[in-house]
């Protein structure tokens, strides 16, 4: 079967309609995005707590010295700015100044706008576009206009884009480089599932993307590419989308496949793990401190979070007809339903003898070591999110969400930093898309073959 793929004009430059998806905290680096851009596609660098280098080319550790969360939050912003600038320069050098380089920002990152300003001021002429998701980035167009770069909002519905356009983007139409439709069921990392959508019932992306295109047509944006992200493994499976007049110009984003390349900075253990995955080994869950659903590889880290959340009961401070049983846990009294008292007794007997309150008037049961770890992680918060359900940090005057810290979640900065720097792949969060199991069955990766970025792009260009 023959397969052809034409280039497309994006961000004022002719490129292959292939984008490397951004993966935060030192995963989407200049080392991988530079070769992707050099191969003719769009390389993407994550601006989320990126790694900077010393004069010898060694990664500078992110050691937080501030005594307050606000101090550490400001350090995190500085780390992100310095690191992203270094990564952009590296990608620029690898692509010899000819490649198309975008940066990706988690809009819910604490200080996201400060980081983008800091990076774009120092990288003029090297960055073509800014991609933003995980939130509603209303200020994105204004920021892009200031620095003369294109912008690429990430949405999971036409309705979301319509709101962004009418409230903010219509004033910077000429710099809209593309609209990323990120499938909320199949993409890796954080997902944009709405309250009206069932996480267990994936929707067909075609009608959702078509709805987005219809909205864009009404707004005079038929020429602006839609970038299909999430669930894209090879292009032969999407041939009906290519040169489809109903959908208009379509570009494809690959987030998971670039993890397994020679240039990818993830550990060899992580790469080996990808080759061993089976169908169903990626879990869509809502433990993230961002409040968003996210998709990650099943391992002991996720297993512990599932088990932790299962050891949970409602409680009250005063008795009523339903909550009529008093229990004693670690010398504290709680009032629970009668049927829950036996569960608590069994959990305590099994060593889960520490009761932690959640913001939803439930008690969570963990062992002493986990309780100590949770409290320490909450105390050591670096303010990496604009609002964090785990630590109750918020990037506001009070530095607080006003809600109780939630022990059902985790410190995302801690685990992503660790796994990005050769940490344990069983005891950390491993983001991945739901097609990651295909590494093990795709003949391209036979006998443990790990391609270079150029080899991967060439493979994708054949349709496989």
């Amino acid at each position: 079967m023959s397969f052809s793929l034409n280039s497309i004009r994006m961000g004022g430059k002719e490129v292959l309609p292939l984008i490397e998806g951004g993966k935060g905290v030192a995963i989407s680096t200049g080392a991988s995005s530079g070769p992707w851009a050099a191969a003719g596609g769009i390389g993407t660098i994550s601006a989320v707590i990126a790694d900077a280098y010393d004069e010898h080319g060694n990664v500078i550790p992110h050691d937080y010295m501030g005594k307050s969360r606000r101090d550490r939050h400001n350090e995190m912003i500085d780390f992100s700015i310095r690191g992203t600038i270094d990564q952009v320069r590296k990608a620029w050098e690898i692509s010899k100044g000819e490649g198309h380089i975008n940066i990706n920002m988690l809009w819910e990152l604490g200080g996201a706008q400060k980081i983008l300003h800091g990076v774009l001021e120092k990288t003029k002429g090297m960055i073509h576009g800014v991609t933003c998701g995980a939130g509603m980035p209303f200020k994105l167009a204004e920021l892009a206009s200031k620095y003369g770069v294109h912008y690429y909002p990430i949405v999971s519905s036409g309705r979301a884009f319509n709101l962004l356009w009418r409230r903010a983007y219509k004033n910077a139409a000429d710099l809209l480089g593309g609209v990323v439709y990120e499938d909320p069921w199949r993409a890796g990392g954080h997902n944009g599932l709405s309250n009206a959508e069932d996480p267990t019932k994936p929707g067909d992306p075609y009608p959702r993307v078509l709805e987005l295109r219809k909205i864009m047509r009404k707004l005079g944006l038929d020429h602006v590419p839609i970038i299909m992200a999430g669930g894209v493994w090879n292009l032969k499976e999407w041939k009906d989308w290519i040169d489809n007049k109903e959908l208009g110009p379509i570009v494809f984003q690959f987030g998971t496949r670039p993890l397994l390349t020679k240039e990818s900075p993830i550990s060899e253990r992580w790469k080996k793990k990808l080759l061993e995955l089976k169908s169903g080994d990626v879990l869509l869950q809502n433990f993230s401190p961002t409040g968003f659903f996210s998709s990650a590889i099943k391992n002991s880290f996720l297993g512990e979070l599932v088990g932790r959340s299962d050891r949970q009961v409602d409680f009250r401070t005063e008795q009523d007809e339903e909550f009529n049983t008093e229990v004693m846990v670690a010398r504290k009294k709680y009032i629970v339903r009668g049927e829950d008292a036996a569960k608590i007794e069994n959990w305590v007997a099994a060593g889960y003898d520490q009761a932690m309150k959640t913001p939803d008037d439930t008690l969570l049961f963990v062992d002493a070591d986990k309780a100590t770890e949770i409290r320490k992680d909450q105390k050591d918060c670096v303010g990496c999110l604009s609002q964090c359900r785990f630590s109750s940090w918020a990037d506001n005057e009070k530095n607080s969400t006003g809600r109780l810290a939630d022990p059902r979640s985790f410190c995302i900065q801690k685990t992503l930093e660790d796994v990005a720097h050769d940490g344990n792949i069983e005891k950390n969060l491993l983001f991945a898309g739901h097609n990651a199991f295909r590494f093990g069955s795709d003949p391209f990766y036979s006998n443990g073959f790990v391609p270079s970025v150029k080899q991967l792009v060439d493979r994708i260009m054949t349709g496989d």
Side-chain angles (χ1 to χ4, degrees):
M1 174 183 174
S2 61
F3 190 88
S4 63
L5 193 64
N6 298 320
S7 62
I8 190 169
R9 192 163 185 82
M10 294 185 70
K13 193 176 183 69
E14 287 288 327
V15 293
L16 297 175
L18 307 175
I19 296 180
E20 175 198 13
K23 298 167 283 294
V25 188
I27 301 300
S28 290
T29 66
S32 59
S33 61
W36 190 282
I42 298 179
T44 305
I45 291 165
S46 172
V48 179
I49 321 180
D51 282 336
Y53 303 107
D54 63 21
E55 63 271 22
H56 304 295
N58 300 313
V59 170
I60 300 172
H62 295 152
D63 295 325
Y64 292 87
M65 309 304 292
K67 296 192 180 297
S68 71
R69 287 181 175 182
R70 173 56 64 180
D71 288 341
R72 295 191 293 273
H73 168 77
N74 289 332
E75 289 179 81
M76 183 276 298
I77 290 174
D78 289 341
F79 287 144
S80 293
I81 293 172
R82 291 176 58 195
T84 305
I85 290 170
D86 278 4
Q87 297 301 334
V88 168
R89 287 172 176 163
K90 186 169 188 174
W92 177 258
E93 291 169 1
I94 291 173
S95 64
K96 298 180 180 178
E98 296 296 324
H100 190 128
I101 305 294
N102 282 1
I103 58 173
N104 179 274
M105 172 55 75
L106 181 88
W107 197 247
E108 288 301 313
L109 187 75
Q113 294 182 58
K114 291 181 181 178
I115 293 165
L116 289 173
H117 280 293
V119 172
L120 293 170
E121 284 175 354
K122 301 285 180 139
T123 55
K124 291 178 180 177
M126 289 188 277
I127 292 174
H128 288 83
V130 180
T131 307
C132 276
M136 292 294 280
F138 290 110
K139 294 282 188 179
L140 178 59
E142 178 185 324
L143 188 148
S145 295
K146 179 175 180 178
Y147 297 100
V149 298
H150 290 77
Y151 62 101
Y152 300 79
I154 300 174
V155 300
S156 58
S157 69
R159 181 183 176 188
F161 176 73
N162 192 38
L163 179 60
L164 287 165
W165 176 264
R166 295 190 182 280
R167 187 178 295 183
Y169 293 176
K170 62 183 179 182
N171 298 320
D174 58 323
L175 289 175
L176 179 64
V179 180
V180 183
Y181 170 78
E182 188 172 71
D183 190 286
W185 291 276
R186 299 170 180 83
H190 291 103
N191 307 80
L193 277 169
S194 72
N195 293 331
E197 292 163 333
D198 187 339
T200 66
K201 296 179 180 178
D204 181 353
Y206 190 95
R208 294 168 69 93
V209 171
L210 180 58
E211 177 198 21
L212 172 59
R213 175 57 73 193
K214 288 178 178 178
I215 289 172
M216 291 173 66
R217 282 197 176 108
K218 289 179 181 178
L219 299 173
L221 301 172
D222 194 31
H223 63 288
V224 175
I226 293 175
I227 299 155
M228 178 61 211
V232 182
W233 184 263
N234 63 45
L235 295 184
K236 283 183 179 177
E237 295 170 348
W238 299 81
K239 64 182 185 299
D240 293 340
W241 287 50
I242 299 170
D243 298 326
N244 181 319
K245 292 183 179 179
E246 187 176 45
L247 291 179
I250 294 288
V251 174
F252 297 93
Q253 180 168 300
F254 295 82
T256 296
R257 287 190 77 171
L259 284 171
L260 192 59
T261 63
K262 292 176 181 176
E263 294 91 340
S264 169
I266 68 173
S267 69
E268 293 304 312
R269 292 191 301 275
W270 191 345
K271 292 178 183 180
K272 185 173 183 292
K273 176 86 172 178
L274 291 171
L275 288 165
E276 297 170 350
L277 294 177
K278 307 297 182 187
S279 179
D281 278 352
V282 174
L283 179 67
L284 178 62
Q285 34 69 36
N286 63 345
F287 296 118
S288 172
T290 61
F292 291 102
F293 276 81
S294 67
S295 295
I297 295 171
K298 292 178 181 178
N299 59 5
S300 59
F301 179 87
L302 276 188
E304 192 279 326
L305 283 167
V306 171
R308 190 195 307 178
S309 192
D310 286 344
R311 294 189 302 275
Q312 186 177 183
V313 298
D314 295 318
F315 80 101
R316 298 290 184 268
T317 55
E318 295 182 4
Q319 288 195 13
D320 58 28
E321 187 174 338
E322 182 180 4
F323 291 83
N324 55 19
T325 304
E326 188 177 277
V327 295
M328 182 79 74
V329 182
R331 301 181 183 178
K332 292 184 179 180
K333 294 180 180 179
Y334 303 97
I335 300 169
V336 300
R337 297 183 181 94
E339 62 267 28
D340 287 335
K343 296 179 185 176
I344 294 171
E345 184 178 352
N346 290 334
W347 292 334
V348 170
Y352 303 108
D353 55 1
Q354 302 294 307
M356 306 188 79
K357 295 179 181 179
T358 79
D360 299 319
D361 294 327
T362 67
L363 293 176
L364 190 75
F365 287 82
V366 296
D367 62 28
D369 288 343
K370 182 56 66 174
T372 298
E373 179 188 340
I374 289 171
R375 292 188 180 107
K376 183 179 186 307
D377 287 347
Q378 290 171 337
K379 180 182 177 183
D380 292 343
C381 172
V382 304
C384 71
L385 298 174
S386 61
Q387 293 197 52
C388 177
R389 63 188 273 211
F390 176 67
S391 69
S392 80
W393 155 272
D395 189 7
N396 56 29
E397 289 183 1
K398 294 183 179 180
N399 294 151
S400 173
T401 61
R403 288 173 59 82
L404 190 68
D406 195 337
R408 294 169 294 191
S409 189
F410 59 93
C411 177
I412 196 165
Q413 174 269 337
K414 173 190 171 185
T415 185
L416 294 182
E417 281 272 16
D418 190 44
V419 77
H421 299 99
D422 208 24
N424 191 303
I425 62 168
E426 279 299 316
K427 297 180 179 179
N428 281 301
L429 184 69
L430 299 178
F431 280 141
H434 288 258
N435 269 338
F437 74 93
R438 297 181 68 170
F439 283 118
S441 58
D442 191 320
F444 184 54
Y445 303 95
S446 296
N447 301 313
F449 173 67
V450 176
S452 67
V453 168
K454 180 65 165 61
Q455 288 173 319
L456 174 59
V457 172
D458 287 347
R459 175 75 172 186
I460 291 170
M461 286 291 292
T462 69
D464 290 317

